[in-house]
Amino acid sequence: MRCQKCGNELSQGSVYCGKCGSKVEEPVVEASVSSSETSAFSPVQEVAPAPQSVAQPVQAPVGYAPAQAQNVSNPYARPEAGVSYTAHSQTPHQGQPPMPVQRGCLGAAFHDIISSPGWIKRVLLLMVMKCVPILSFYASGYNVQWGAQAARGSNAPLPKGVFDRKTFLTGLFMALLTTLLNIANVWMFALNFIPFIGFILMFVINLFAGAFYSLAVMRMAVYKALGQAFELSEIFRAYKKRIGSLLAAACVPAIIVNVVFVLVLVLILLIMAAVSFAGSSMAYGYPGYSGFGAMSMFSYDPVGAVLGIISALGVMFFVIGALFFFFNGLAEIWSMRAVGLWVARFAPEWAEEAKDSKGSLS
């Protein structure tokens, strides 16, 4: 070993150089290990496995909302906020089913009617029963009860032959509520003295009152108790939720059916006028025909002429009344089913609260 400063030869174990007196420092020997030795003696490193590819979920296009699970207990329940039933402007991915479109209350009710087996025969029977005083209670009760089934979440078709005590009482209580509504609306006759605006006000008030009345009847049927129809605060709380949809469900069927009724009535009157005119024209050629028609009858038999006119008017008014109740039988079953669907969507708590109720209609 030599001194690092002067190069003098040093003995083994020397601390200072004997020539220059410098302190002896042991040199740092860097062990150079070959790459072959390193690979031979170094520990084996574990090779990490290659990452596996994970399938990424396919994102739905813009404008689509996730599908909502159907409420099995109430298929007519209102969808939760934020869930859309319609696809807007995007095309779905290949293999993705289109979003279902939920019908409105009116459309769903009409679809329930025409999709029922033998619906034409049953609806015609109900319309005929509406023309008979006592049987009309059964018909009205049948219509309300079928609407109440929709309010409870049932999508059953038109039932067959359900005319029992419960159906009769439901129709009877509905007639009672109708009478009370008519008594409450007596004051509206004063609106007839207001030109033009009075008629519009009376029409609008009748629309809103009719919707409230239909909701009260449906609450009575759902809870199976007449007293529930007078829970005005609860009815009004539900009434405010979607009043536009309720107005359509309760009033539009009656408006449509009454327009058809008026058209049929006008057609009947035109046919009667044509027949009367043809009879007068044929009688004009007979000898002894005075040419004054009914005036000649008064001259020969005034009492018989008056009785004949009264009889003819009585028959005409009877036919008109029968046709009115006949057509309104269709409006009633349609509107009651639509109101029941409205309750299932916007007031489903009624059916939950009424499950254990034992009312006068049970």
Side-chain angles (χ1 to χ4, degrees):
M1 185 175 64
R2 293 181 178 275
C3 177
Q4 295 180 359
K5 187 174 182 181
C6 64
N8 184 33
E9 185 72 21
L10 298 176
S11 61
Q12 189 68 26
S14 299
V15 180
Y16 294 96
C17 178
K19 184 177 182 181
C20 65
S22 299
K23 187 176 180 181
V24 177
E25 295 179 1
E26 295 183 0
V28 179
V29 179
E30 295 181 2
S32 59
V33 181
S34 63
S35 60
S36 61
E37 293 176 353
T38 302
S39 60
F41 294 97
S42 60
V44 178
Q45 297 181 355
E46 296 182 0
V47 179
Q52 298 180 356
S53 60
V54 179
Q56 299 295 328
V58 179
Q59 296 182 354
V62 178
Y64 278 85
Q68 183 186 18
Q70 185 180 13
N71 189 344
V72 178
S73 62
N74 189 352
Y76 295 108
R78 182 184 181 184
E80 297 181 0
V83 177
S84 174
Y85 276 84
T86 58
H88 302 297
S89 60
Q90 300 293 332
T91 303
H93 287 288
Q94 186 177 2
Q96 180 180 0
M99 293 295 178
V101 178
Q102 188 182 38
R103 292 186 178 93
C105 295
L106 273 179
F110 190 76
H111 178 267
D112 290 347
I113 293 175
I114 63 176
S115 61
S116 300
W119 69 274
I120 296 178
K121 181 175 64 177
R122 296 182 189 181
V123 170
L124 286 177
L125 176 61
L126 291 170
M127 293 169 71
V128 172
M129 291 175 65
K130 286 290 293 183
C131 302
V132 184
I134 302 300
L135 295 181
S136 63
F137 295 150
Y138 283 101
S140 296
Y142 179 97
N143 298 336
V144 175
Q145 289 295 337
W146 192 47
Q149 289 181 10
R152 300 187 189 102
S154 172
N155 56 355
L158 283 167
K160 183 178 180 180
V162 183
F163 301 109
D164 51 9
R165 170 181 172 273
K166 178 181 177 181
T167 305
F168 177 80
L169 289 178
T170 303
L172 181 64
F173 291 162
M174 182 181 180
L176 175 62
L177 294 176
T178 304
T179 303
L180 295 177
L181 176 65
N182 293 332
I183 294 174
N185 289 339
V186 169
W187 66 272
M188 287 195 299
F189 284 105
L191 297 176
N192 292 321
F193 295 99
I194 304 177
F196 185 69
I197 300 178
F199 174 77
I200 296 177
L201 287 176
M202 193 164 68
F203 178 76
V204 172
I205 292 173
N206 274 320
L207 284 181
F208 284 89
F212 192 90
Y213 156 81
S214 299
L215 198 58
V217 171
M218 189 54 56
R219 182 177 174 88
M220 173 195 70
V222 171
Y223 282 86
K224 307 174 185 177
L226 175 62
Q228 290 294 329
F230 299 94
E231 295 288 344
L232 301 184
S233 59
E234 296 296 329
I235 298 173
F236 188 70
R237 185 177 293 111
Y239 180 81
K240 296 184 298 182
K241 290 182 179 179
R242 290 290 294 273
I243 189 169
S245 178
L246 179 61
L247 284 171
C251 303
V252 169
I255 294 174
I256 294 176
V257 170
N258 278 285
V259 168
V260 176
F261 163 71
V262 171
L263 294 177
V264 172
L265 182 61
V266 170
L267 180 61
I268 292 175
L269 293 177
L270 289 176
I271 294 175
M272 292 175 62
V275 171
S276 177
F277 178 77
S280 299
S281 300
M282 292 175 64
Y284 183 76
Y286 292 159
Y289 179 70
S290 61
F292 293 99
M295 295 299 296
S296 62
M297 295 177 59
F298 277 103
S299 61
Y300 290 108
D301 187 8
V303 176
V306 171
L307 292 177
I309 293 175
I310 293 176
S311 300
L313 290 177
V315 172
M316 184 179 68
F317 282 118
F318 175 80
V319 172
I320 292 174
L323 286 175
F324 175 79
F325 286 107
F326 181 81
F327 280 97
N328 275 272
L330 174 60
E332 186 178 88
I333 190 172
W334 187 5
S335 64
M336 285 293 112
R337 183 67 175 183
V339 172
L341 294 173
W342 188 93
V343 170
R345 296 179 184 181
F346 304 108
E349 66 276 6
W350 287 10
E352 293 295 328
E353 295 170 0
K355 283 183 177 179
D356 300 327
S357 65
K358 296 292 182 181
S360 54
L361 299 178
S362 300

